[in-house]
Amino acid sequence: MVRFLAAAAISVIAFLLLTIAADAKELKRWQGSYSAASKPMTIVATDADGWSRIWQFAGQKPDTDFDPARQVAVAIFLGQRGTGGYGVSIVSMESRQGRFVIVVDETTPGDRIVTQALSTPWLVLLLDRPVEPIEIEPKFRINGSLPAQPPDFA
């Protein structure tokens, strides 16, 4: 009986963990070096207006449909950089203390030869809607942190 209860408990925990992981599955990723976002910002789109706003800043049209009932989009814009060679990378995505945390880092050109022009790197993730609220955690700091809300697009 004890073995049965232990096995049942493990099955329930595994099911819950898989459900959370499945809810937050990455569906698609886009990234680029040039955007309309000259200052660092993040956007978490949970509706069609947010989805449209992301692509307004990215300067592109999305090549996929957005279903706000099942999906969420997360955009990270690094703001202006002095040269090419910069980008956004995802370090991890995990459930932590009631939140779905996406840890991001900035990739830098290092000593590589890069374009000698201003760049504004960005990354957009399309995810199955997680159960928890989404939090973006920068591994780097720009003036303290990335702003949570974008400025008005002009």
Side-chain angles (χ1 to χ4, degrees):
M1 180 69 163
V2 172
R3 282 187 184 173
F4 174 77
L5 290 176
I10 290 171
S11 296
V12 168
I13 291 169
F15 174 77
L16 290 174
L17 291 174
L18 288 173
T19 301
I20 289 171
D23 286 344
K25 185 177 106 180
E26 181 180 330
L27 301 173
K28 191 150 186 176
R29 181 184 299 211
W30 300 265
Q31 58 191 74
S33 297
Y34 304 100
S35 72
S38 60
K39 299 212 182 308
M41 73 172 127
T42 61
I43 302 172
V44 177
T46 58
D47 59 23
D49 289 339
W51 178 247
S52 175
R53 190 171 175 102
I54 284 174
W55 294 104
Q56 199 174 18
F57 277 104
Q60 298 184 16
K61 291 187 179 189
D63 60 359
T64 191
D65 292 328
F66 177 65
D67 180 359
R70 296 182 320 103
Q71 300 168 332
V72 64
V74 177
I76 298 105
F77 296 91
L78 290 183
Q80 186 172 298
R81 297 292 183 268
T83 66
Y86 290 88
V88 183
S89 67
I90 303 301
V91 175
S92 64
M93 292 189 285
E94 63 186 6
S95 295
R96 190 187 317 153
Q97 299 175 342
R99 299 187 116 20
F100 184 73
V101 179
I102 302 171
V103 180
V104 298
D105 199 5
E106 176 178 14
T107 56
T108 60
D111 59 358
R112 294 180 298 162
I113 297 174
V114 296
T115 303
Q116 297 300 302
L118 298 176
S119 63
T120 48
W122 58 274
L123 177 130
V124 175
L125 294 173
L126 182 61
L127 306 168
D128 278 335
R129 186 180 285 272
V131 224
E132 305 102 336
I134 292 177
E135 179 179 314
I136 310 300
E137 181 181 295
K139 191 173 176 183
F140 59 94
R141 297 286 180 215
I142 303 170
N143 298 328
S145 66
L146 288 174
Q149 297 295 319
D152 288 332
F153 187 76

